[in-house]
Amino acid sequence: MAGAPGARDGDAPSADRRNRAPGEGLEIRVRGQVQGVGFRPFVWQLARGMGLAGEVLNDGEGVLIRVSGGDLTAFVAALRDMAPPLARVDRIEVAPCRVEASGFGIAPSGKGAVATRVTPDAATCGACLEEVRGDGRRRGYAFTNCTHCGPRFTILRELPYDRAQTSMAGFPMCPDCAAEYGDPADRRFHAQPIACPACGPRIWFEAHGHEGGALAEAVALLRHGGVLAVKGLGGFHLACDARNAEAVARLRLRKRRPGKPFAVMAAEEMADRIAEISEADRALLRDPAAPVVLVPSRGVLPEGVAPGMAALGLMLPYTPLHHLLLQGFGGPLVMTSGNLSGEPQVIGNDEAREKLAAFADGFLMHDREIVRRLDDSVERARPPMVLRRARGRAPGTLPLPEGFGRAPQVLALGGQMKAAICLVRDGQALLSHHLGDLDEALTFDEFRRALRDHAALFDHRAEIVAVDLHPGYRATQAGHAMGLPVAEVQHHHAHLASCLADALWPLGGGPVAGIVLDGTGLGADGTIWGGELLLGDYAGFERVAHLAPAPLAGGEAAAREPWRNALVRLDAAGLADLADRLFPRQPREVLRRAVAAGVNAPLSSSAGRLFDAVAACLGLAAARQGYEGEAAMRLEALTGDGAPYPFEGLNPAPMFRALARDLEAGAAPGSIAQSFHLGLARAFCAPARHLVETGRAQAVALTGGCFQNARLLQACLTELEGLPVLTHRAVPANDGGLALGQALVAAARHIGAAETA
């Protein structure tokens, strides 16, 4: 496991047994994700196997080991090389100490400041799944877990991570569970959510006020085409038979979600029948985080599952309850978040009865409280990217790049959409889970709760708060109201810094050429940006070039109605007649007069709106998008061959004229989509390459929400072949990663100011 810079295993001369007097040993500090993952029993077993003496304990900084005797160099190396599955060792610090002990034991947890990680929730491990399917006392038990799997962050109230601080506190352990919990040789040693049918949570089924047998009735409802509300780890899902077109349509109608793709949960053997799964996909599906993975669909499920998409959002069952439900049902299930439109996911039983009764025909409930809402993470394996960072990934921390060791404690608040916050402390960045769009009052309530929650959980005392430039963002307003020094960070600079941080680009690594393509963000000049070529680093940037601007006709309406963007782009390219033919029922002349008068039509270089314009020309969600990004996602899903469309620098007018000729010639939509993607990639990559080849930039960074588009990302990587290219891997390229960039920009400015003071 890779570690952050710092003292390495065995660095200290005293790690060698030679030249040590009796009683001389080592004090070893292990930092990282090392609590709640079975690290202490691992150390106990390792030390006893090597004939060592001493003790191991948890404290506020991680795991502390005092040890003597034997080959301590090999022992220290094994701490990293043989660590438990859920552990992540960032740093091992070694110092000489005197150890007076005849054996090796596990000492009580210590106190101290909170500086260690809370472990993310993890999918059911193979050993627990065997028990659920076996003949022992946990046969068929929906809450089976051990130190290698199960709930963590979703049940934690506060640190330290002990049972009394979780929602398992109300379930006293039976003698059998207590014996496992107290045995260092057992994989359930100090597994805080440990439970069994005799002492743990229970499940039940509800329908129309009736409570009955759980799984059998839930499966029967699904087989009859019903919609089932299922209480999971981070909230409720709404489930139905993914093979039943009528059931899928019924769920869409009830939830008022006409086109946004649904995620599907399937056992692995069924997953292979409905999707084309590569080895990289399979490895990600099996990851303990158990994200929703975007994989090519085989087209065997009804079109209503993911309308207009070539990819399917697929996840494997990640709790024993999900395994049991799928085993009983025998097929794939739609699993979409249980919430009212625009609101956060429902987590409480009473809340579910109140808010989901109009959607669900029955409820599969349990009595373990969900302390923290967590949506499912969404990721790709090909190419690797995180689209939504949530359950299974949060609250995992990220190491800061070289040079940020003196960074102050920074709180960054992100943007308005796909909100997430970021806390920087002690060489680590904690990027929160996906919170949602702050336009919604309940989501903003969740945002404020996250601020309190994360500060308390991680003992964070912000010295600086970083916010977006946009004064209308609720996060920006919240930051200015905190009474702390405020660092305002331009939106696209934050995207660039986020990509640099994700790639561990050093603070002193030099400037990079940042291709930043997204929807909209307030520019440093007060205009609306979105298709940018920046030359910069963490501390600052220069806007080298940008997409030729076009009016956002109708302001925010342009983001909802793609035809508006197509109209202004076609008109600018001298193709007004084509716009009239493509959009005969839209109020074109009214819009043109408003644009000419400058009424509610600010200029913007948005790449997102360019995608919308091209999609609208092909008739994709032209009149109105049913969800954010629908037009662009449908455009990406089209397949075909095509040569790159021409741009004049970063002016797309020649591209639209070539597109018009192809439409006239009856070219396939997939061919047009391919030509657009290739042309846009070439237009931005050529000047970026020039910056690197002339020595002004050290690398190219690809960031912004448009780079969730795998086709665009791959086209840019091809254009930039031979150059160092930085991309997102663990942090979303969209606004979900914005707070990380804001935090590091603020930290870099602070460090720079301190150095010049």
Side-chain angles (χ1 to χ4, degrees), residues 412-650:
L413 302 186
Q416 187 79 350
M417 308 288 284
K418 300 177 178 64
I421 63 174
C422 184
L423 294 74
V424 165
R425 175 187 168 183
D426 295 337
Q428 298 284 319
L430 171 71
L431 181 63
S432 80
H433 54 283
H434 168 85
L435 296 168
D437 298 340
L438 300 187
D439 290 330
E440 294 291 335
L442 290 177
T443 304
F444 188 58
D445 289 342
E446 285 294 307
F447 171 82
R448 289 185 292 195
R449 181 193 171 190
L451 292 176
R452 299 188 299 269
D453 189 29
H454 284 67
L457 276 175
F458 298 93
D459 196 27
H460 190 268
R461 295 173 176 83
E463 302 167 61
I464 301 170
V465 59
V467 299
D468 193 273
L469 284 181
H470 200 302
Y473 284 0
R474 300 183 82 167
T476 300
Q477 295 165 359
H480 280 285
M482 288 181 177
L484 293 168
V486 175
E488 292 187 334
V489 182
Q490 198 277 323
H491 191 90
H492 301 92
H493 185 203
H495 274 304
L496 174 58
S498 175
C499 184
L500 296 180
D502 201 355
L504 291 176
W505 187 256
L507 177 59
V512 304
I515 300 176
V516 191
L517 307 180
D518 72 347
T520 59
L522 183 62
D525 59 0
T527 65
I528 302 173
W529 295 3
E532 312 302 316
L533 177 60
L534 306 181
L535 177 65
D537 55 16
Y538 296 104
F541 71 95
E542 171 190 351
R543 190 188 192 198
V544 174
H546 56 83
L547 195 67
L552 294 176
E556 292 184 0
R560 298 189 296 269
E561 301 177 11
W563 73 271
R564 295 170 180 263
N565 305 293
L567 179 79
V568 297
R569 286 293 186 184
L570 291 172
D571 284 1
L575 299 166
D577 288 348
L578 176 59
D580 291 338
R581 294 198 300 274
L582 290 175
F583 314 114
R585 296 183 178 85
Q586 307 302 336
R588 303 179 311 282
E589 295 311 317
V590 173
L591 204 68
R592 283 167 171 152
R593 287 195 295 271
V595 167
V599 176
N600 199 19
L603 288 175
S604 173
S605 58
S606 169
R609 301 294 79 79
L610 182 66
F611 271 89
D612 290 348
V614 174
C617 289
L618 296 179
L620 305 175
R624 188 175 184 87
Q625 301 195 79
Y627 55 91
E628 185 198 3
E630 178 183 7
M633 289 170 64
R634 285 176 174 263
L635 185 66
E636 179 189 0
L638 296 177
T639 58
D641 297 322
Y645 279 149
F647 280 65
E648 185 180 346
L650 291 178

Side-chain angles (χ1 to χ4, degrees), residues 304-388:
V305 171
M309 297 294 114
L312 189 65
L314 184 66
M315 59 180 155
L316 300 184
Y318 54 83
T319 72
L321 178 59
H322 290 125
H323 280 283
L324 292 166
L325 183 63
L326 284 171
Q327 180 181 321
F329 180 67
L333 294 172
V334 164
M335 281 279 180
T336 188
S337 59
N339 62 302
L340 298 176
S341 180
E343 290 190 4
Q345 191 173 16
V346 167
I347 61 173
N349 292 348
D350 288 340
E351 183 186 15
R353 294 180 185 108
E354 175 190 350
K355 293 187 174 181
L356 302 184
F359 304 151
D361 300 302
F363 296 82
L364 189 55
M365 298 282 208
H366 63 71
D367 56 356
R368 185 180 66 203
E369 181 188 356
I370 299 172
V371 177
R372 199 167 281 100
R373 300 175 205 269
L374 283 182
D375 289 301
D376 296 311
S377 291
V378 182
E379 305 183 14
R380 286 186 196 267
R382 299 176 286 164
M385 67 173 73
V386 173
L387 290 86
R388 183 168 71 197

Side-chain angles (χ1 to χ4, degrees), residues 217-268:
E217 292 197 37
V219 166
L221 183 150
L222 291 167
R223 286 179 176 165
H224 285 90
V227 175
L228 178 70
V230 183
K231 188 177 184 181
L233 271 182
F236 276 80
H237 284 110
L238 293 171
C240 72
D241 184 352
R243 300 166 301 187
N244 185 331
E246 292 182 0
V248 174
R250 187 177 301 115
L251 176 55
R252 287 202 175 279
L253 182 65
R254 291 179 182 178
K255 201 177 177 189
R256 298 179 184 175
R257 184 171 166 173
K260 191 173 183 180
F262 285 143
V264 172
M265 180 178 283
E268 192 166 342

Side-chain angles (χ1 to χ4, degrees), residues 73-87:
T73 299
F75 175 75
V76 172
L79 293 176
R80 188 186 303 277
D81 298 339
M82 299 171 62
L86 297 184

